[in-house]
Amino acid sequence: MKARVFSGVQPSGDLHIGNYLGALKNWVRIQYDYESIFCIVDLHAITIYQEPAALRAKIEEIAAIFLAAGIDPKHSAIMVQSSVPAHAELAWMLTCVTPVGWLERMTQYKMKAESQETVGDGLLQYPVLMAADILLYQAAIVPVGEDQRQHLELTRDLAQRFNSLYGDTFVMPETHLPTVGARVMGLDDPEKKMSKSASGSGHAVALLDPPVQARKKIMRATTDSLPAVDFDNLGAGVANLLGIFQALSEWPENRMKKHFAGMRYGELKKQVAEMVISHLEPFQKRYHEITSEAGYVASILREGAERVAPIADATVELVKKRMGLYTLS
Ligand code: AQP
């Protein structure tokens, strides 16, 4: 039997090239090596207020993006978190074995809490729900971007804690980061991670941005005061542009250096824009084909949920037994 892979994306905004390079591209590459489950984590998205109609539309948009990027629904399950109630059930059971201090230490919690007037409890509990998502499917591999590394460590700590309290129950998941593109930075501010929820029209290239707009954003990207690429003295903005190019082109380091050393920033941006657009155009064509078929995406999501529910239910049943909760069977 193949090991299982699980990963997810929050429907909390427009998916961008950071999400693609940090997560989706890797999913597509490894999907056939594993039994793969890719999830739209809507329960995570509501840890911050989402306009209900927009959230609902965004969920199907993201499923179509998964398909257009190359996730094969015949092999991999594509599903929505809230369609499988076991995610929330297991999250509660894990909450009861999670020390609050572990959660308060999470960098993403501290950052997101800062920007909220009232901090919802869900924001603090977020990593426990994420642990539940992964442990529910006994996933061995979790391909994510660098920003999720800390949450994955907490998932492993939680699995270990549960296993030592109640006996071996959960598979210990491994974090799987891409070698290039694990942390794409904002185009307008290369000190900050490219993020769906960041404001600013020049911050991120969305996967559904029209090519003209994508080019404009890249041409306006923040660089530094040097005139041309100097690999011994790379500023964060230039390094970010080169990283985007390399992750998309899959060029090795020496080819990157030979090609870009001494190139003026205007030309660098032009070439990065062309590389991005050469990926966006065929992707967007597939996206429009997929979404033009009424009911297709909904049927994939239904099928995905039906396929994974028995795995999730079996884990919840096992956890209930381990914890001494009442089971009917
Ligand atoms: N900038 C990034 N570079 C590389 N990978 C990234 N990921 C996110 N941002 C980058 C990876 O994309 C996957 C899905 O992310 P998410 O939806 O779980 O949310 P996030 O990590 O919190 O990403 P965002 O875009 O910043 O969303 P918001 O603004 O809603 O919080 C994950 O594998 C993530 O590592």
Side-chain angles (χ1 to χ4, degrees), residues 157-178:
D157 289 345
L158 254 179
Q160 214 152 30
R161 187 173 167 87
F162 191 98
N163 286 352
S164 67
L165 278 172
Y166 293 107
D168 253 8
T169 306
F170 294 121
V171 168
M172 204 55 72
E174 298 280 335
T175 311
H176 201 290
L177 295 178

Side-chain angles (χ1 to χ4, degrees), residues 96-223:
C96 297
V97 298
T98 309
V100 180
W102 288 11
L103 301 177
E104 286 169 338
R105 275 206 305 272
M106 294 293 110
T107 314
Q108 201 174 86
Y109 165 70
K110 288 195 260 186
M111 276 169 47
K112 291 198 172 176
E114 249 172 36
S115 62
Q116 300 299 304
E117 243 175 62
T118 319
V119 179
D121 185 31
L123 203 56
L124 182 67
Q125 301 299 329
Y126 179 112
V128 184
L129 179 58
M130 180 166 157
D133 299 337
I134 296 162
L135 301 178
L136 193 56
Y137 298 106
Q138 305 285 8
I141 303 288
V142 187
V144 286
E146 170 66 40
D147 63 323
Q148 293 298 335
R149 187 200 284 273
Q150 196 185 31
H151 290 161
L152 254 303
E153 274 160 22
L154 187 128
T155 299
R156 289 170 59 82
D157 289 345
L158 254 179
Q160 214 152 30
R161 187 173 167 87
F162 191 98
N163 286 352
S164 67
L165 278 172
Y166 293 107
D168 253 8
T169 306
F170 294 121
V171 168
M172 204 55 72
E174 298 280 335
T175 311
H176 201 290
L177 295 178
T179 40
V180 190
R183 190 174 180 80
V184 177
M185 308 307 280
L187 295 174
D188 56 347
D189 180 357
E191 301 299 328
K192 289 205 179 113
K193 179 187 89 109
M194 188 176 280
S195 179
K196 285 185 230 96
S197 51
S199 54
S201 59
H203 174 77
V205 173
L207 293 175
L208 295 178
D209 272 351
V212 180
Q213 203 178 332
R215 179 179 287 108
K216 252 193 209 153
K217 288 179 181 176
I218 294 168
M219 293 309 292
R220 284 197 204 126
T222 302
T223 47

Side-chain angles (χ1 to χ4, degrees), residues 307-318:
R307 209 191 305 173
V308 302
I311 310 169
D313 291 344
T315 306
V316 165
E317 205 60 10
L318 174 66

